Structure formats: C-alpha cells, structure tokens
Amino acid sequence: MNFWKTFLADITGHNVWKEIYTHGVKTNFTKRLEISEIEVSSGHFTSFEYTVDAVLRKSFPRDPNSQDNSQHRVLRSEAELVYERDDDVPFTRTEIACVIENNLSLNKSPGSDRINNELIKKFHICSPSVLLTLFNNCLKLGVFPKIWKKAKIVLLPKSTELSRTHIDNIRCISLLPSSGKCLEKLCITRLNHY
C-alpha cells in the first residue's frame, strides 16, 4: 500500500507515462539474456570459466610494460610521480552542487557500491557539507579512492536476435561508483578551466 501511495505522489501531468513505463514495463518485462557460455570459432561451446576469461581478454586486453614505445614509457613514469598538492584551492559548495545537479543523470545504473545518483542528490541536499569535506580531503591528500575505481562489469549482447552467443556479439559496460564520477568531474572542470 505504501508503494502505491508513493507512486501516486510521484505522478504529475508531465511524467505519468514515464512513471508507468519505469515501474511496470521496464522493470518487470525487460527481457534478460543470461550469458553462461559462448560459441568459439570451431562451433563448440565453452564452460562458464572459459567464457569469463575469453570475454575479459577480448574486452580488456593486457598492457605490458615490455611492449611500450619511448612515448609510453615517459607517460608511465610521469604517472608515477608524486603529486604536489600544496597550491590546490579547495572545492567550493557551488562547484560540488553544480557537478551533482548537472552531471548525475537519474536514469543511470549504480556502480559496484550500489549507490545510485538519486541517493547522492538527495544526500547532498540534506547534508552538503559531508560531500564538500569528502571531496576536499581527497584533493588535499592527492587521493582518488581505489574503491571508486572498482567497476561492475555487465555483459550485454549486441543483438538479442541471435540464437547462440558468440564472443563477437558481446560488449562490456563498466558501471563505476557515482562518488568517483563526481570527484572526476570536479577535477576535469578545474583542468578545463585552466
């Protein structure tokens, strides 16, 4: 009963069909394709473990240092340098509010932390100083938390019409935590300003 009351409270003249589609059609009737094995070139199907390994190798190829040219070696060494952060100006409430309001779309899936954009927006409205402190501490310490780099990998078929799944018919999307996206956008905005 509470769900129904919440649903009716959210409906306005502008979004009545969007709400019905989101709560009914999209949520309950989306066709899911489970990928547990793939067809290899010889026409044989693989095990689940081999499928995961094959998709990861195809979608995320290795990048060994031994294959770097001189330009890549310079880039890798510069990435390892210690960041001088003494002259960074702290983020302002306005910068953070701008990033959260303009860059967090409500129709995006959450990352590995399962915190969706709507929750971050509501949390920011209730307690804006928490995110301000969090992002400024990341800036002050020169740290991008590793947990915000951890992605949830989702395999999607390029076409659902095929009766068999082939490795060339699979694409990966990486769902990253929204907090990391906010910090990244704050930094990018600063860099683009200069």
Side-chain angles (χ1 to χ4, degrees):
M1 189 67 170
N2 287 336
F3 174 77
W4 184 246
K5 287 180 182 178
T6 304
F7 173 74
L8 291 176
D10 286 343
I11 292 178
T12 65
H14 293 78
N15 71 356
V16 66
W17 294 114
K18 179 183 182 292
E19 291 294 323
I20 290 171
Y21 173 75
T22 301
H23 291 291
V25 177
K26 188 175 178 186
T27 304
N28 297 322
F29 303 116
T30 303
K31 196 176 198 181
R32 293 182 185 254
L33 178 66
E34 187 172 311
I35 301 171
S36 59
E37 58 184 22
I38 57 172
E39 183 180 358
V40 290
S41 57
S42 60
H44 293 88
F45 287 91
T46 63
S47 67
F48 176 74
E49 290 79 14
Y50 182 85
T51 298
V52 170
D53 187 54
V55 170
L56 287 175
R57 275 187 281 119
K58 181 172 175 46
S59 301
F60 305 99
R62 300 266 183 229
D63 184 26
N65 294 356
S66 60
Q67 295 179 0
D68 285 353
N69 62 26
S70 59
Q71 184 180 5
H72 288 135
R73 280 192 289 278
V74 169
L75 288 173
R76 281 189 201 268
S77 65
E78 287 177 354
E80 298 295 323
L81 295 175
V82 176
Y83 172 65
E84 297 294 330
R85 57 196 171 271
D86 297 332
D87 58 349
D88 283 334
V89 177
F91 295 120
T92 64
R93 287 181 188 261
T94 306
E95 283 178 294
I96 293 172
C98 185
V99 164
I100 289 174
E101 291 168 14
N102 298 328
N103 295 289
L104 293 183
S105 176
L106 296 181
N107 63 348
K108 299 290 184 181
S109 296
S112 57
D113 61 0
R114 305 185 116 193
I115 299 173
N116 64 27
N117 292 343
E118 182 178 8
L119 181 63
I120 289 179
K121 284 185 176 202
K122 288 182 178 180
F123 179 72
H124 179 67
I125 290 168
C126 294
S127 187
S129 62
V130 174
L131 291 177
L132 178 70
T133 303
L134 175 66
F135 293 139
N136 276 327
N137 281 335
C138 289
L139 182 67
K140 186 170 109 180
L141 297 171
V143 172
F144 192 99
K146 287 185 179 184
I147 193 73
W148 290 351
K149 299 176 189 176
K150 184 178 178 184
K152 176 181 176 183
I153 307 296
V154 178
L155 303 179
L156 296 175
K158 292 179 183 175
S159 170
T160 56
E161 296 175 12
L162 299 175
S163 59
R164 296 185 289 187
T165 306
H166 192 275
I167 193 164
D168 292 332
N169 187 38
I170 298 171
R171 66 184 175 95
C172 294
I173 59 170
S174 302
L175 303 176
L176 292 164
S178 296
S179 304
K181 291 179 187 178
C182 288
L183 180 58
E184 181 181 0
K185 186 63 179 175
L186 284 165
C187 294
I188 289 171
T189 303
R190 285 265 179 103
L191 290 172
N192 287 339
H193 179 72
Y194 296 105

